[in-house]
Amino acid sequence: MTRVAHGAGRRLRVALDAMGGDDAPAATVAGALLAQQSGVEVILVGDESRLAALPDDVDATMPVLHAPEAVSMDEDPALALRGKRGSSIRVAAALVAQGGAEALVSAGSTGATLAAALLEIGRLPGVRRPAVAAALPGGAVLVDAGASSDVQPEALIAYAEMGSAYARTRGVSEPTVGLLNVGSEPGKGNAFARAAFDALTGTPSFVGNVEPAAVLGGAADVVVADGFTGNIFLKTLEAAAAPPAGGPGAAILLGCASPVLVAHGDASADNIAAALETARSIAEGGLVQALLQALGRAGGVGEPARG
Amino acid sequence: MTRVAHGAGRRLRVALDAMGGDDAPAATVAGALLAQQSGVEVILVGDESRLAALPDDVDATMPVLHAPEAVSMDEDPALALRGKRGSSIRVAAALVAQGGAEALVSAGSTGATLAAALLEIGRLPGVRRPAVAAALPGGAVLVDAGASSDVQPEALIAYAEMGSAYARTRGVSEPTVGLLNVGSEPGKGNAFARAAFDALTGTPSFVGNVEPAAVLGGAADVVVADGFTGNIFLKTLEAAAAPPAGGPGAAILLGCASPVLVAHGDASADNIAAALETARSIAEGGLVQALLQALGRAGGVGEPARG
C-alpha cells in the first residue's frame, strides 16, 4: 500500500479514522472515495489488512496509514487511548500533529476522538476543554453539543467566544449568544444554569436564556450549554426527526490546535464524504486562526498546549 | 354568583384556576364549559368581576369561588404564593384541601401551582418533592418533567416508584424504568446521571440508561430524570413538533395528597377541557391511593404532610 509522505507544499489533506463508526471500514472507505471525487485529499488511517480486503481498491487510489488497533464504542475513551497507541484514531491524530494532514475526521466514539485530539494535537492556548459545536435547524450553532458533561459554569464563556468565532466563519457578522434553558426569564433553570447566566451576563453579545423552541426559531446565533444538556437537546432533536439539517455532516471539536470533526456513529458513506468536505473547507477557511483571535491570543502564539 | 357548598356525597369535582394561563380567563372558562358538557363537575376559582364580564354566562351554569388576586408567569412562585393568599391558584388549592373539590387544574405557572399544592394540599408521606409526570409519544411516562431542577440523585428512586404507580393506572402491569441519559451504557452522562444510575440499580424494574431515541421507541415504560433535564427533553420534543400526543392534556404533579394537574400556559379551551376530564378520571381511578401503596405507606396513613 502507498505509504504517507509527510511532505510540505501539498494541498490540504484530511486524515480519516477508517475504523471509526458502526459500519467501518466499509462506510468510511466508501465515503472517502466519494470525497476524493469532489477533490478532497484523504488519508485513510486503519488496519491495512482489513482495508485491503474491501472490494474498493483503495490501495490504487488513496494513501493508507497503517494502524493495527481500534477503539470500540463501549471502551473508556481515555483508558483505551492510553493503552492503544496503535489505535486508528490515535495514529490519525498523531499524523495531523506531525503535519502529515491538516484536519481529522472520525465517526468513532466522541470521547475517544476528544482524548486522541488532546493527547496528540493539543488545545489552543486559553482552552481548558474543547467543546463540540453542532449546526442546528434554524441556523444556530450549539456549543457544547456533547464533549464535556461536567464543567464549571464559567466554561461557557469560552464556549460563547469559540462559538461566535465559528459563527463568523459561517457568515454571521455579529453573532448573538443565548444560554439553553427551560425558560427565558432570568433566574430560570437549575443551579448550574443560573450560575452560567451570571457568568455570561458580562458578555456584550449575550441575549439571555433561550428555550428549545426559541433556539429552533433563531433567537440566538450561538447557543451555549454544558455538554450533557447540549447532548440531550441535540439527541432529542434527532429522535424527534428534526435532524440538524444543512449542517456540516459532522460536529466540530472547537478548541483543538487543528480542525477535528466527529461524525455520527451510524454515519453513511454520504455523511462521511460530507464530513471530509467540511473538514477541508474549515481548514481552508482558517477556523483555528479565527478561534485564536477570538480567544484573545492572536499575537505571539507559540506551541499549542498538549493534553 | 353561585357560592360553593362544601357538601359531602357529591360527584367528584375539579377546581379550576380560572385565572391561570396566557388566555385566561377566556380559555379557561370556555374549556370548563366544554368539560361540563362531558359531565365533568367544575368549580371555577377566580376574579368574579372578570368572570362575570365574559360573554359566557358562567353564573348560570357553574359554581364560582371568588379569588381577588392572580399570580403572573414572571413572579417568583414561592414568594408570590406566600404574599397572595387570595390568588386564584392558592384559593383553588385550599378548596381541594378543605374537601370542596377532589382535584385541581391550572394552566398558570408550574412553580406557583407546585407551591400552592405544597402549602395547601400537602405531600403524600414519604414524598420530599412532588414531580411532574408527562405522557410521551410512544407511551412512556416522564418523571420529573419539570417540577424540581435541583435534586439529589436518590430522589429519582421515588420518581421511579411514583411513575410506576401512575403507569399501572394507565394499564401497564409491570412497568420498566429507564434513566434519561446521553448514552445507553453504564457510566454515561454527567456526575448526577452516574450517581442516579447507581441509586436506581437496586430497583428490580430498572433497565438502565435510555437515550432520547430509545425513550420515544418505548425502551422503558417510566423514564426518570431531574426536572431540569426532563424539562429540556420535553420542551425540545415539543419544539421539534412532536408534542406529547395522546397524553392527558396536562402533566400531573405526582406526590401531592390530591390530584393536581398543570396544563400548558398556552392551553386552548380544548386543552383545558381535556385536562379537566383527565383530572376527574385520575381522581376516580384512585391514583393517589396507588401512589400511597407504591410508596410503601398503604397502611395507617394519617394526615398528609403539609408544605
Side-chain angles (χ1 to χ4, degrees):
Chain A
M1 291 200 172
T2 314
R3 290 281 163 184
V4 175
H6 288 189
R10 300 180 56 173
R11 286 193 300 161
L12 292 182
R13 296 152 300 183
V14 183
L16 173 63
D17 170 12
M19 313 310 283
D22 302 342
D23 300 324
T28 48
V29 168
L33 291 169
L34 282 175
Q36 194 180 41
Q37 289 163 20
S38 304
V40 182
E41 196 159 336
V42 183
I43 300 167
L44 289 174
V45 183
D47 186 328
E48 276 181 344
S49 62
R50 290 194 60 194
L51 297 176
L54 291 174
D56 300 307
D57 186 9
V58 290
D59 191 11
T61 60
M62 202 175 292
V64 172
L65 180 60
H66 181 59
E69 299 175 293
V71 177
S72 68
M73 294 299 279
D74 54 0
E75 290 184 89
D76 179 87
L79 286 179
L81 259 288
R82 288 179 194 278
K84 293 183 174 175
R85 290 188 165 269
S87 61
S88 55
I89 180 61
R90 185 153 178 187
V91 172
L95 179 67
V96 172
Q98 293 153 14
E102 283 69 37
L104 170 64
V105 170
S106 177
S109 146
T110 299
T113 305
L114 174 60
L118 288 173
L119 279 168
E120 300 288 351
I121 297 174
R123 295 160 288 153
L124 293 174
V127 174
R128 290 191 56 173
R129 293 280 292 180
V132 170
L136 299 174
V141 172
L142 172 68
V143 185
D144 173 19
S148 301
S149 285
D150 292 293
V151 292
Q152 297 299 313
E154 292 73 23
L156 273 58
I157 299 172
Y159 296 175
E161 290 168 348
M162 294 196 294
S164 298
Y166 179 41
R168 281 190 289 268
T169 69
R170 290 162 53 91
V172 184
S173 59
E174 294 187 20
T176 55
V177 175
L179 172 66
L180 180 61
N181 208 331
V182 294
S184 58
E185 304 88 351
K188 286 284 182 182
N190 58 8
F192 179 92
R194 294 193 301 274
F197 184 96
D198 291 343
L200 288 162
T201 294
T203 306
S205 56
F206 184 53
V207 297
N209 293 322
V210 285
E211 292 188 89
V215 171
L216 301 188
D221 301 305
V222 177
V223 176
V224 292
D226 66 89
F228 181 81
T229 304
N231 201 234
I232 287 281
F233 173 69
L234 190 67
K235 290 203 161 119
T236 306
L237 275 188
E238 292 171 346
I252 299 164
L253 267 181
L254 296 179
C256 299
S258 296
V260 178
L261 278 79
V262 285
H264 243 275
D266 63 358
S268 65
D270 283 342
N271 299 147
I272 295 287
L276 291 165
E277 289 172 32
T278 303
R280 179 186 59 174
S281 69
I282 282 175
E284 287 178 350
L287 175 62
V288 170
Q289 288 70 28
L291 290 172
L292 272 173
Q293 289 186 343
L295 294 164
R297 314 286 172 111
V301 176
E303 278 294 292
R306 294 290 164 113
Chain B
M1 292 203 174
T2 314
R3 289 283 161 181
V4 176
H6 289 190
R10 300 180 57 171
R11 286 193 300 161
L12 292 182
R13 298 150 300 184
V14 183
L16 175 63
D17 171 11
M19 313 310 284
D22 301 342
D23 300 324
T28 48
V29 168
L33 291 169
L34 283 174
Q36 195 179 42
Q37 289 163 20
S38 305
V40 183
E41 196 158 335
V42 182
I43 301 168
L44 289 173
V45 182
D47 186 328
E48 276 181 344
S49 62
R50 290 195 58 194
L51 296 177
L54 292 172
D56 301 306
D57 186 9
V58 289
D59 190 12
T61 60
M62 202 175 292
V64 171
L65 181 60
H66 180 61
E69 298 174 294
V71 176
S72 68
M73 294 299 278
D74 54 359
E75 290 184 89
D76 179 87
L79 285 178
L81 259 288
R82 290 179 192 278
K84 292 183 173 175
R85 291 187 163 269
S87 62
S88 56
I89 181 59
R90 184 154 180 186
V91 172
L95 178 67
V96 172
Q98 293 154 15
E102 284 69 37
L104 170 64
V105 170
S106 176
S109 146
T110 299
T113 305
L114 174 60
L118 288 172
L119 280 168
E120 301 288 350
I121 296 173
R123 293 161 289 152
L124 293 174
V127 175
R128 289 190 58 175
R129 294 279 293 181
V132 170
L136 299 175
V141 172
L142 171 68
V143 184
D144 173 19
S148 300
S149 285
D150 292 293
V151 294
Q152 297 300 311
E154 292 73 24
L156 273 58
I157 299 172
Y159 295 175
E161 290 169 345
M162 293 196 295
S164 298
Y166 178 43
R168 281 191 289 269
T169 69
R170 290 162 54 91
V172 183
S173 59
E174 295 187 20
T176 55
V177 175
L179 172 66
L180 180 61
N181 208 331
V182 293
S184 58
E185 304 88 351
K188 286 283 183 182
N190 58 8
F192 179 92
R194 293 193 301 274
F197 184 96
D198 292 343
L200 288 162
T201 293
T203 307
S205 56
F206 183 53
V207 296
N209 293 322
V210 285
E211 291 188 89
V215 171
L216 301 188
D221 301 305
V222 177
V223 176
V224 293
D226 66 89
F228 181 80
T229 303
N231 200 234
I232 287 281
F233 173 69
L234 190 68
K235 289 203 161 118
T236 306
L237 275 188
E238 292 170 346
I252 300 165
L253 265 181
L254 295 180
C256 299
S258 296
V260 178
L261 277 78
V262 285
H264 243 275
D266 63 359
S268 65
D270 284 342
N271 299 147
I272 295 287
L276 291 165
E277 289 172 32
T278 302
R280 180 188 57 176
S281 68
I282 282 175
E284 287 177 352
L287 175 62
V288 170
Q289 289 71 28
L291 290 172
L292 272 173
Q293 289 184 345
L295 294 164
R297 315 285 173 112
V301 176
E303 278 294 292
R306 295 292 164 112

